[in-house]
Amino acid sequence: MEDVARYQVGDFEIAVISDGEIRLDGGAVFGLVPRVMWEPIIGPDNVDAEHRIPQGLNCMLVRRGDEIVLVETGMGNKHGPQVREKMFPGDYGYLLERLGKLGVRPEDVTAVANTHLHADHCGWNTVRRGEDLVPTFPNARYYVQAGEYEAATHPNERTRGTYFEENFVPLEESGQLELVTGEHQVLPGLHFLPTPGHTADHASIVLSSNGETAIYTGDLVHHEVQMERPAWIAAFDVMPLVSLETKKVLAERAIRENALLICVHNSYPGVGRLTETDGKRRFVPA
Ligand SMILES: [Zn+2]
């Protein structure tokens, strides 16, 4: 990542900061869609010998006045070889360093918001300090949907693989965790939007200011083509048919409001707008 992608949405300043990149199984990212259909879109050169494809880790920094909100925190730096080599191979762990280059120190961050608590979305929520796990951002309130926290702390056989307690339980212990419901407003103009499907309580983050809208999608999509084609649903989604309906509603809104879409797993910076011409939808990079 050379230059930092920046956008202005009303009176919010946005910077997209990548924690790096992971490589995930292409079949898992595209679910029922056969490889002959997704491979030309990804580009054959982007599929490795293990059938994995690159996935960005785009986090969003939002500033207005003294408020500094970080949406998502990537993979982090706490992982051992099992995670680094098998579950989430890739090149990551750069978020703090890149925040530093923007002049943002951990203690400056006033709020952290997670769309959900899978390991690739909240890794930098905490860091190891000696024997302890502590919140990375000592002065931040950490916002997450209450239902997601419940699911993360009580996983089942299907969901347990990617909920790592070390990323979120220390926040409860330090008293920094804010469990919220529905369209909770973190700041005036910055709120959660429940977008269920990937998980039951998955939520996107919406910025609205001076008639402009930006939506941080979270795992509603893993690749921009899934914004254009709602039936292309990741195998990761625990409620795929709910994802489908959620995505249709969000896509309509994105077109209507000409919303800036920030997509976590797109290649950097992963920002664009959804347009519709003659019934054909296209994700147009911003
Ligand atoms: Zn993800």
Side-chain angles (χ1 to χ4, degrees), residues 17 59-62 68-73 95 99 109 111-114 137:
I17 304 169
C59 307
M60 178 172 78
L61 186 74
V62 182
I68 301 183
V69 182
L70 185 58
V71 178
E72 307 282 71
T73 63
L95 181 66
L99 281 172
V109 175
V112 175
N114 293 125
F137 306 99

Side-chain angles (χ1 to χ4, degrees), residues 54-85:
Q55 292 270 281
L57 294 168
N58 302 318
C59 307
M60 178 172 78
L61 186 74
V62 182
R63 287 198 256 206
R64 185 174 62 193
D66 295 336
E67 303 286 352
I68 301 183
V69 182
L70 185 58
V71 178
E72 307 282 71
T73 63
M75 280 296 300
N77 71 345
K78 300 189 295 294
H79 310 295
Q82 169 76 12
V83 171
R84 284 228 167 234
E85 286 156 28

